[in-house]
Amino acid sequence: MNLNHSLHSPYMQFSRKQWAKLRNTEPLPPIEQQLPRLQGINEELSLNEIEEIYLPLSRLINFYVHLNIKRQTVLDQFLGASSPHIPYIISIAGSVAVGKSTTARVLQELLKSRSEYNKVELVTTDGFLHPNAVLQQKGLMKRKGFPESYDIRSLLRFVSDIKSGIPCVTAPVYSHLIYDIVPNKTQKIEQPDIVILEGLNVLQSGMDYPHEPHQVFVSDFVDFSIYVDASEQNLQTWYIERFLKLRQSAFNDPESYFHNYAQLDEHDAITLAEQVWREINLCNLHKNILPTRERANLILMKGNCHEVESIKLRK
């Protein structure tokens, strides 16, 4: 296999065709009926994408998970005692609208189909945003998704508890419908084999939180990290397309925080979406998200139609 294996890069680069061959004999679970649930609101997820991109990726992660289990066994043998069950943590980062959630859901489905470790939990860092009442008090409603909008102490405590082997850990739940933390609702995490942590900020370091200096940050607790990437033009296009689809669906719900946007005509909706993208999401991408890309173990580069065109894997 002819790989782009530059000595001046910490990554090996694979074309889609090269990567697809690394599936080897990894079987495709009965996933076709799940496609509508797994794909994003403006994505068309295909079986071909799962076979060529996600099956090789799940195979690679399987190897890493087995290695991690062996390391725990070695530690138990050294100590002469059983250590707590420590989940393997995978983080998925990338811009708004790039399709992080789809990647997370597909990986969860593929990984939990394996009999060796079928308890795979998916947690989004949206749940660790400060509630709207706090953001409004601090004047941060237009900075949602920026480092200062997160309760980083709670997020760090959560991942630390997971990696400490605490039997039951809870995470707050965020609703995109009400655009806020759901009061008195939590996600219970009870001794999973794998935790997938998805969000804008999972690769950010303490330097990204100067107002909350820490000795550790989320990536210290992550075993394997993925960055989902795409051109800025595609990201903007996908964000606007998603906004328009939400305007015709979720925004029509009277409970939706953005219910007023459902009344906009298409021209005004596009204008508003472009403004939000430019003034908030693009700014956050440049300042806080894109600079973390090279910290990832693996980078998925998407082209048009959300299809992954190339893959970079850290050496």
Side-chain angles (χ1 to χ4, degrees):
M1 185 178 291
N2 182 24
L3 304 180
N4 184 345
H5 194 86
S6 171
L7 294 176
H8 303 292
S9 170
Y11 291 97
M12 296 175 284
Q13 183 162 338
F14 302 80
S15 67
R16 184 184 178 98
K17 185 176 180 180
Q18 290 170 330
W19 184 255
K21 290 180 180 178
L22 297 173
R23 170 189 174 181
N24 201 0
T25 57
E26 188 75 9
L28 177 67
I31 202 172
E32 189 168 4
Q33 300 297 323
Q34 303 293 328
L35 291 183
R37 177 181 64 83
L38 298 176
Q39 66 189 13
I41 191 170
N42 63 323
E43 296 177 60
E44 291 292 334
L45 180 65
S46 67
L47 279 178
N48 188 57
E49 188 78 357
I50 292 175
E51 290 176 329
E52 295 189 355
I53 302 301
Y54 293 108
L55 275 178
L57 177 54
S58 68
R59 178 172 176 253
L60 174 64
I61 292 173
N62 289 333
F63 284 134
Y64 281 133
V65 172
H66 280 299
L67 180 61
N68 189 64
I69 292 171
K70 288 180 180 179
R71 289 177 65 250
Q72 289 189 34
T73 302
V74 168
L75 182 60
D76 288 349
Q77 290 174 342
F78 174 70
L79 296 174
S82 295
S83 58
H85 178 74
I86 308 296
Y88 189 87
I89 298 184
I90 301 164
S91 68
I92 301 177
S95 170
V96 169
V98 76
K100 300 183 298 301
S101 297
T102 297
T103 295
R105 287 190 294 266
V106 172
L107 271 183
Q108 181 186 30
E109 194 68 27
L110 292 176
L111 292 171
K112 75 180 185 180
S113 69
R114 302 183 65 86
S115 58
E116 307 102 301
Y117 39 81
N118 54 17
K119 193 170 184 182
V120 184
E121 295 283 0
L122 171 56
V123 179
T124 71
T125 62
D126 289 344
F128 295 92
L129 286 162
H130 286 296
N132 284 355
V134 175
L135 295 177
Q136 288 167 351
Q137 183 182 14
K138 295 183 176 183
L140 294 175
M141 282 300 289
K142 291 187 176 180
R143 304 281 290 178
K144 216 170 200 184
F146 285 69
E148 59 268 31
S149 67
Y150 288 92
D151 183 352
I152 189 63
R153 294 182 183 182
S154 293
L155 177 56
L156 285 170
R157 185 165 55 249
F158 170 78
V159 291
S160 176
D161 288 349
I162 290 285
K163 272 302 182 183
S164 298
I166 293 178
C168 184
V169 181
T170 59
V173 174
Y174 184 83
S175 167
H176 288 277
L177 179 68
I178 65 172
Y179 197 56
D180 202 355
I181 303 298
V182 181
N184 304 316
K185 185 174 182 180
T186 58
Q187 178 181 358
K188 188 179 292 186
I189 311 296
E190 296 183 282
Q191 295 188 306
D193 301 301
I194 300 171
V195 174
I196 299 174
L197 188 64
E198 177 257 309
L200 301 174
N201 61 338
V202 291
L203 286 172
Q204 290 170 4
S205 72
M207 293 183 295
D208 300 300
Y209 295 87
H211 59 296
E212 292 247 9
H214 299 281
Q215 298 300 314
V216 295
F217 35 94
V218 173
S219 57
D220 287 331
F221 302 97
V222 170
D223 298 290
F224 188 81
S225 53
I226 299 167
Y227 187 96
V228 187
D229 201 10
S231 70
E232 288 184 12
Q233 182 57 58
N234 274 337
L235 291 172
Q236 178 177 333
T237 298
W238 297 339
Y239 178 78
I240 294 171
E241 288 175 351
R242 187 176 72 178
F243 188 93
L244 292 177
K245 287 191 175 182
L246 288 170
R247 165 179 156 267
Q248 297 174 332
S249 55
F251 291 173
N252 282 303
D253 189 326
E255 297 296 319
S256 172
Y257 181 87
F258 299 105
H259 182 58
N260 289 340
Y261 292 169
Q263 314 307 318
L264 297 174
D265 62 32
E266 184 166 320
H267 177 268
D268 288 344
I270 291 174
T271 299
L272 176 60
E274 287 176 339
Q275 179 183 353
V276 172
W277 171 258
R278 183 176 61 253
E279 295 180 2
I280 300 176
N281 296 314
L282 185 60
C283 178
N284 197 15
L285 174 64
H286 286 167
K287 185 176 181 181
N288 301 306
I289 303 170
L290 193 57
T292 71
R293 179 178 58 189
E294 307 306 317
R295 297 175 189 162
N297 296 113
L298 182 133
I299 301 171
L300 298 174
M301 185 66 193
K302 287 186 171 185
N304 298 331
C305 303
H306 279 275
E307 291 191 341
V308 174
E309 293 183 338
S310 64
I311 298 90
K312 289 183 177 181
L313 177 64
R314 188 174 290 279
K315 296 173 182 175

